Amino acid sequence: MILSSILVWLMVPGIAVFYSGFVPHKDVTRILFNSFLMFGLAGLLWIVIGFSVSFEGNTLGIIGDFKHLFLSGIDLSSTYGTTGLPTSVYALFQMMFAILTPALFLGAVASRVRIRFIILFVILWSLFIYYPLAHIVWSSTGFLAKMGVLDFAGGTVIHIDAGITALILAVTLREPYKYNNEQVQGNPLWILMGTVLLWIGWYGFNAGSALSVSSQAINAFFTTTIAACSSLITWIVLEEIFKSKVTLSGICTGSICGLVGITPGTGYVTIWGSFIIGIISALGSYYFMNYLKYKLHLNDYLDIFGCHGVSGIIGSICVGLFATKSVNNNVITNGLFYGGGLKLLGLQLFGVIFTIIFVSIVGVVIITGLKKLFKNQVGIKQESLSLA
């Protein structure tokens, strides 16, 4: 589990390198800065209050308690719940997710907003969106968890959450996109190296979520690999059909979409299920990134919603189709394709819709409040690393 935590840690510089390969040179420093800032900001916030309100106590199945600031009163050497892990190890593993998730969506604004806005937004987003959502989905007392909604490694809590947050930031803080067929001169090596770091880290992300060396961990490792590979090949086919050329950035993006898509079901589905999920994730994200985004004039030029949001939604719903007790005994009701009927599919749809609505409403409220605080001067006109 400590190794898995280190692998998830590696994903933060991985996402920074990956995003930096797509943006103009003037935006690279801020992408790197914003991503690495999350270790200090989101990391400390998790220790101060995040773990307590996410996983200690329960209020209405929505949030934990505020009694353990700086982890005071928590026996870190004791076993946490039914995980079989020391509380300190479980808290450390979950801390990496709390650091990674804001790093995923901050690319939506790149160097367009002030650092002060970034700091305040991430603090409020963590307190009012991420921590409640982690409790709702992953805590045994969370109301979606008690309903039976399944999310093995973060389809709702991380990917849909980050994707919707990126969408909100793009819509509220950036002008509508006017497509002029321009091409940003990116860095292919950075894109490839970022993809490699993310793919390696994803094994800690998904297999580590089994919380032990078990058949579920091995299955998660296997399904993570298969989904990424099938999505990558699907992206090649789509680019050849619709663009008559294949690109490095395309196959790297395709593999990431497969990794996102398999995340919620990686420990619940078979090899065949992961193969299909990878294909469907690539189809959905490709359509959004290359067609629907332009129809909607969405100014999310790193395609964070198109990748994490769309593939996260697809993957979470697919759990209701492909999850099976033969892979994981924690699956109470089989998915539709394994004879379980529509029950689990309905639960997964409800979980997805709830996450989208919850993140959208609270996200818009936070941004509206911060824009008033900054008197709408949240953006910057020059490349700068000052707090101004």
Side-chain angles (χ1 to χ4, degrees), residues 18 22 195 231 235 248-258 289 307:
F18 181 73
F22 287 95
T195 304
S231 186
W235 206 277
L248 174 66
S249 62
I251 63 172
C252 288
T253 300
S255 64
I256 299 299
C257 290
M289 292 181 195
C307 179

Side-chain angles (χ1 to χ4, degrees), residues 42-120:
L44 280 180
L45 192 63
W46 179 256
I47 298 302
V48 172
I49 195 171
F51 180 73
S52 175
V53 299
S54 298
F55 293 105
E56 291 289 325
N58 177 56
T59 303
L60 302 175
I62 296 174
I63 196 69
D65 61 46
F66 296 81
K67 300 177 182 178
H68 303 285
L69 297 182
F70 283 97
L71 304 178
S72 62
I74 298 177
D75 184 358
L76 295 177
S77 62
S78 65
T79 301
Y80 182 78
T82 60
T83 65
L85 297 172
T87 300
S88 57
V89 174
Y90 185 71
L92 177 67
F93 182 63
Q94 287 291 343
M95 184 176 83
M96 298 308 160
F97 287 85
I99 293 170
L100 172 65
T101 310
L104 292 177
F105 66 68
L106 286 178
V109 288
S111 62
R112 270 51 177 191
V113 295
R114 300 175 187 273
I115 295 173
R116 285 185 300 172
F117 176 86
I118 293 291
I119 292 172
L120 288 174

Side-chain angles (χ1 to χ4, degrees), residues 70-251:
F70 283 97
L71 304 178
S72 62
I74 298 177
D75 184 358
L76 295 177
S77 62
S78 65
T79 301
Y80 182 78
T82 60
T83 65
L85 297 172
T87 300
S88 57
V89 174
Y90 185 71
L92 177 67
F93 182 63
Q94 287 291 343
M95 184 176 83
M96 298 308 160
F97 287 85
I99 293 170
L100 172 65
T101 310
L104 292 177
F105 66 68
L106 286 178
V109 288
S111 62
R112 270 51 177 191
V113 295
R114 300 175 187 273
I115 295 173
R116 285 185 300 172
F117 176 86
I118 293 291
I119 292 172
L120 288 174
F121 180 79
V122 170
I123 291 173
L124 294 173
W125 172 88
S126 297
L127 290 171
F128 295 106
I129 295 180
Y130 185 81
Y131 300 158
L133 203 55
H135 183 84
I136 288 167
V137 176
W138 282 337
S139 173
S140 60
T141 54
F143 87 88
L144 285 185
K146 293 174 74 172
M147 286 177 62
V149 175
L150 298 177
D151 185 356
F152 193 83
T156 52
V157 181
I158 295 175
H159 294 296
I160 298 178
D161 183 1
I164 294 297
T165 302
L167 179 65
I168 295 169
L169 288 169
V171 170
T172 57
L173 298 181
R174 308 190 71 170
E175 295 295 325
Y177 188 63
K178 295 180 175 62
Y179 183 55
N180 297 314
N181 203 34
E182 70 276 15
Q183 295 292 325
V184 174
Q185 196 68 30
N187 189 321
L189 179 60
W190 283 47
I191 294 172
L192 178 60
M193 292 309 300
T195 304
V196 169
L197 291 171
L198 287 170
W199 194 326
I200 292 172
W202 230 289
Y203 290 124
F205 193 95
N206 283 0
S209 292
L211 305 182
S212 65
V213 178
S214 61
S215 59
Q216 280 76 44
I218 296 169
N219 187 79
F221 198 101
F222 216 152
T223 54
T224 297
T225 305
I226 298 300
C229 292
S230 67
S231 186
L232 185 156
I233 295 299
T234 302
W235 206 277
I236 290 176
V237 173
L238 291 170
E239 284 196 328
E240 179 62 32
I241 292 173
F242 294 105
K243 295 184 177 180
S244 299
K245 65 176 182 178
V246 294
T247 62
L248 174 66
S249 62
I251 63 172

